[in-house]
């Protein structure tokens, strides 16, 4: 991923006894993605995250999939969060806040974000089946919990209604992507200031 020297970009490599993950991202990208985690549905969701946030993401993960997908999904969320926090630096000039209602067919999901330096996840999403194909639906929350914790963001996700579990999951990823895009944008009216009266979003 080629980026200018002053671009908001970062890479993270994270290796444990359970997973080996590398993430490179560029906040000021076009939403391109090269993603391989070994978990097909998860790859599809991460492609949505990249495309709709306009954050370029290069993600490679190898995990203990012979056990289940949990470690791979959670640790990928950790690595993306760490890379995002690193790329944003002191968060100078960002819009910081965003919220959005996102529709997909019969499903409506709301996401709100504060790139605050204070990690917190509020999750009001219920699935009506334990799996989408072979993917455990409970892992959607695990991913966003890891992302919020390690990116240092406050994230609220609420599924207002929906019937299809694939659509519910996909609207979560797309809605979060869109609020990430808006909140990470540079505010031209305060591009040299940290958007906090405290003077810090550390």
């Amino acid at each position: 991923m080629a980026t200018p020297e002053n671009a908001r970009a970062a890479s993270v490599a994270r290796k444990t006894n359970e997973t080996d993950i590398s993430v490179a991202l560029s906040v000021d990208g076009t939403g391109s993605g090269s993603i391989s985690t070994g978990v097909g549905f998860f790859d599809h969701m991460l492609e949505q995250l990249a495309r709709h946030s306009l954050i370029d993401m290069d993600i490679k993960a190898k995990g203990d999939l012979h056990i289940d997908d949990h470690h791979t999904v959670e640790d990928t969320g950790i690595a993306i969060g760490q890379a995002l926090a690193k790329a944003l630096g002191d968060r100078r000039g960002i819009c910081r806040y965003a919220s959005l209602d996102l529709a997909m067919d019969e499903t409506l999901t709301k996401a709100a974000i504060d790139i605050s330096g204070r990690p917190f996840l509020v999750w009001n999403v219920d699935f009506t089946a334990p799996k989408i194909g072979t993917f455990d639906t409970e892992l959607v929350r695990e991913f966003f919990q890891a992302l919020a914790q390690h990116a240092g963001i406050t994230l609220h996700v609420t599924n207002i209604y929906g019937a299809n579990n694939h659509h519910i999951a996909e609207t979560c990823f797309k809605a979060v992507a869109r609020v990430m895009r808006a909140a990470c944008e540079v505010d031209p009216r305060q591009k040299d200031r940290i958007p906090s009266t405290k003077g810090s979003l550390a």
Side-chain angles (χ1 to χ4, degrees):
M1 182 182 302
T3 57
E5 286 188 16
N6 63 346
R8 296 184 296 170
S11 59
V12 166
R14 187 176 189 276
K15 187 172 184 178
T16 70
N17 290 333
E18 298 165 341
T19 60
D20 186 356
I21 297 170
S22 65
V23 171
L25 60 78
S26 176
V27 174
D28 303 304
T30 61
S32 66
S34 175
I35 296 164
S36 177
T37 68
V39 182
F41 181 78
F42 186 45
D43 286 356
H44 177 49
M45 293 299 101
L46 293 177
E47 288 164 1
Q48 304 304 319
L49 188 68
R51 177 65 183 85
H52 294 283
S53 67
L54 297 185
I55 298 175
D56 294 342
M57 296 186 187
D58 187 345
I59 301 169
K60 294 180 176 59
K62 294 181 180 179
D64 53 1
L65 299 180
H66 61 286
I67 297 174
D68 64 12
D69 300 341
H70 186 113
H71 297 142
T72 299
V73 171
E74 181 179 29
D75 290 5
T76 299
I78 291 171
I80 294 173
Q82 290 174 338
L84 182 61
K86 187 176 177 183
L88 291 176
D90 66 3
R91 307 176 187 213
R92 187 176 304 273
I94 63 170
C95 289
R96 178 176 170 178
Y97 298 100
S99 65
L100 176 83
D101 292 340
L102 188 135
M104 181 179 181
D105 297 344
E106 87 298 343
T107 300
L108 184 67
T109 295
K110 182 181 185 68
I113 193 172
D114 176 10
I115 304 180
S116 59
R118 298 188 304 276
F120 201 89
L121 176 69
V122 175
W123 183 256
N124 293 308
V125 179
D126 293 316
F127 292 97
T128 59
K131 289 183 179 291
I132 301 169
T134 61
F135 185 83
D136 293 332
T137 50
E138 67 181 8
L139 295 182
V140 179
R141 183 191 187 283
E142 293 299 322
F143 170 78
F144 286 114
Q145 177 66 53
L147 175 68
Q149 186 69 34
H150 291 271
I153 60 177
T154 295
L155 184 62
H156 293 233
V157 184
T158 298
N159 174 240
I160 299 170
Y161 47 77
N164 182 289
N165 287 289
H166 186 132
H167 292 171
I168 293 170
E170 190 163 337
T171 55
C172 291
F173 278 86
K174 285 180 174 178
V176 170
R178 293 292 297 193
V179 295
M180 284 173 60
R181 172 183 172 182
C184 288
E185 285 289 322
V186 174
D187 184 343
R189 296 178 63 188
Q190 58 171 4
K191 62 183 179 180
D192 297 318
R193 291 195 299 175
I194 293 171
S196 171
T197 55
K198 297 191 298 291
S200 173
L201 291 174

